[in-house]
Amino acid sequence: MEQYEPERLSAPQLAAMRRSLRDGRGALTRRSLLRASGTAALALGGLGALSACGIPPAARAGDATASDDHSAAEKRINFSNWTEYMDVSEDEKSRPTLEAFTKRTGIEVRYTEDINDNVEFFGKIKPQLAAGQDTGRDLIIVTDWLAARVIRLGWAQKLDPANLPHAFANLSAQFRTPDWDPGRAYSYPWTGIPTVIAYNEKATGGRKVDSVTQLLDDPRLKGKVSFLSEMRDSVGMTLLDMGKDPGSFTDADFDAAIGRMQKGVDTKQIRRFTGNDYTADLSKGDIAACVAWAGDIIQLQADNPAIKFSIPSAGYITSSDNMLIPANARHKTNAEKLMDYYYELPVAAQLAAYINYVCPVDGVAGELAKIDEAMASNTLILPDKAMAAKSRAFRSLSSEEETAYEEKFAALIGA
């Protein structure tokens, strides 16, 4: 187990965090902007919320350990999540799946949307975890690289398979064996986040764009191409295009991918590196083709039928946001019951219909079709076997690798 040291984030890591908060996955999506005023005022009545100050203060050191599970006596869960990551009723006054869970089990879910960025959130909970204290949270959702770090540090509780029968049975093969948690002993995915190629059919003159090679080398796309400002997505897609595995690449492979994109910058083939703000340019046609997040494309297609996506034959990058139970959480069994609940097929379908990212639950298509047939056939939400087979994950990085790689990527994108 990695030993905790209170080191500061390196300058490249801090810069990457600022990019994510400004315009990356930490920024508000289009749907968030449209719904922000209503969601901000959401009151859940019986479900409650965490205190007006956010999260309750941590327990004193030694009050709760991994073996001190208060679930039977305290029928509640404190659940921290990202914004727009939970289904909301049409009148925006309730969260249907959470209410149904409480009605069935009697377990109150104190739900709060207090995760805006992985690094920022980790900074909130790290001092308590390092001190062996309860963070005040029983269930958190973090992106795979941070989940890997929390597990490596010994700050996540090992899950009891007996409490997770649906999760164990229904987890899609695509998500079963991440290098940072083989067999999912500590985590289960909340959703998958595919990185694909998107293009505006009008801006490309009807041509399909389906490879990073085409993005970087097609003269007809010059000056109308964008890549993402998130290192793992852009470098990962480029590595795949070069025939390298993002799950096992070397320093030399990384440098080669940076060099490949640098050529695109130097020749002005690449217009810019962006966060979520590529969506407006893509819709207008100022960007003809780009590396993109699938969730954005689903939303864009609803308003603009010219927006298309493709899965490169070389493969595509998928990351995941994952459910973890922090060390010393007071309500481990209750949290496991909630985790398992979201792997029941009707519940998984209801969540997928709202958040529009890849559903990690196998066999959910029939239930999703009852809600929306178009969603059930959308491979950006439910990848078919051929698409799932092309999915690749960016490997876990050491702190030293992350610093070095982010520094080189920042130089590439001019950050």
Side-chain angles (χ1 to χ4, degrees), residues 73 78 95 127 148 166 256 260 406:
N78 295 330
R95 300 189 184 276
H166 296 96
R260 181 92 172 87
E406 287 288 4

Side-chain angles (χ1 to χ4, degrees), residues 234-236 238-240 242-261 394-395 405 408:
S234 288
V235 173
T238 305
L239 284 167
L240 282 167
M242 297 169 63
K244 303 297 182 179
D245 183 357
S248 60
F249 64 89
T250 65
D251 288 347
D253 295 333
F254 183 90
D255 290 344
I258 292 291
R260 181 92 172 87
M261 287 184 284
F394 199 93
R395 71 170 173 83
Y405 292 169
K408 291 175 182 178

